[in-house]
Amino acid sequence: MTPVLLISRPFAAAERFGKAVMAALDEDVPIVISPAFEVVPLDVASVPAHSQVIFTSANGVEQAARLGLPHGTAWCVGDKTAAAARDIGFDAISAGGSADDLVELLKERRPQGALLHVAGVHTRGDIRARLNSAGVNCISLTAYDQRLLQPNTAVIAAARGTNPIVAPVFSPRSAHILGGLDWTPPVHAIAISHQVADCVTDLGCDTVVTAQHPSEGAMIDATTATLRTILDR
């Protein structure tokens, strides 16, 4: 039976991810896009004094551009975020993986001055607290909110269908799409990290696969492999 690829990222990112998976799969399957949340910029009265910045997502990079933060060194969670930071003029350094990787890199390098984490209302990894406890000065700027969205009509239809669902999940917050409906078909989740895997397991997914690395490339590989397994049955 043909699986359905359910992507809960914002539309632009979801479309790029879907195209990458189809290219790797070398076969088309139905794609349903239903963003789990929307990014809403917040009013910022003032930006704290800082010497360098921390970005844990491309959303933070977008807000830095909106707020006109001066360009300099940006410590980034992964390669994609670093690329986005470079595109707007930062000298970006990638930790190449997760929040844990970023914290360890900063503890090792110990940059001087205050580090400004441009973050959303909902954050992961306790980066500021962990860095400060390790003697690395970190302050945070809450520049945006991630407001949950309800499943759209396409997801509701898929939940009532019979085709297996393959759902890559990039954050605990985006997992709520899977928990908001009663699914008739089996749901196979692809988690970007063990933390996300714990979230989707609690939602009753039939199978949960954790990507080998917390990166988009690893998510594409794991999603493609799961789709191929279902197609080959």
Side-chain angles (χ1 to χ4, degrees):
M1 184 174 290
T2 302
V4 173
L5 177 59
L6 168 60
I7 310 176
S8 57
R9 307 183 83 183
F11 275 104
E15 288 177 345
R16 289 195 300 269
F17 185 82
K19 288 179 181 178
V21 171
M22 293 306 102
L25 187 64
D26 197 25
E27 185 172 347
D28 288 339
V29 300
I31 299 176
V32 171
I33 297 175
S34 182
F37 59 84
E38 62 179 343
V39 174
V40 180
L42 298 178
D43 291 335
V44 174
S46 62
V47 176
H50 61 281
S51 59
Q52 301 176 38
V53 297
I54 294 174
F55 294 130
T56 48
S57 75
N59 294 323
V61 177
E62 291 175 5
Q63 299 313 309
R66 173 177 71 90
L67 297 170
L69 266 60
H71 298 159
T73 300
W75 300 87
C76 303
V77 67
D79 296 343
K80 183 178 178 182
T81 302
R86 292 188 193 102
D87 285 344
I88 65 169
F90 282 92
D91 179 14
I93 300 169
S94 172
S98 66
D100 291 342
D101 296 321
L102 180 58
V103 168
E104 290 304 313
L105 177 63
L106 287 166
K107 286 166 62 177
E108 177 186 340
R109 299 284 187 89
R110 308 190 74 82
Q112 298 300 305
L115 301 176
L116 179 68
H117 181 197
V118 183
V121 172
H122 306 277
T123 61
R124 291 175 287 156
D126 296 323
I127 288 176
R128 182 183 66 178
R130 291 166 65 187
L131 288 177
N132 283 321
S133 67
V136 179
N137 185 12
C138 181
I139 53 181
S140 63
L141 175 67
T142 303
Y144 61 96
D145 194 3
Q146 307 101 311
R147 296 181 186 169
L148 295 179
L149 297 173
Q150 294 301 310
N152 61 27
T153 54
V155 174
I156 294 171
R160 295 172 178 170
T162 57
N163 295 68
I165 306 297
V166 174
V169 184
F170 288 80
S171 70
R173 194 156 179 80
S174 63
H176 92 96
I177 286 286
L178 299 179
L181 296 168
D182 292 326
W183 295 88
T184 300
V187 177
H188 306 281
I190 314 299
I192 194 169
S193 67
H194 292 293
Q195 179 189 20
V196 173
D198 290 341
C199 291
V200 294
T201 299
D202 291 342
L203 295 176
C205 293
D206 293 83
T207 66
V208 179
V209 172
T210 303
Q212 291 188 350
H213 191 263
S215 66
E216 182 155 319
M219 286 292 284
I220 291 170
D221 291 342
T223 301
T224 302
T226 298
L227 289 168
R228 175 56 60 197
T229 297
I230 296 171
L231 287 167
D232 289 346
R233 286 175 182 168

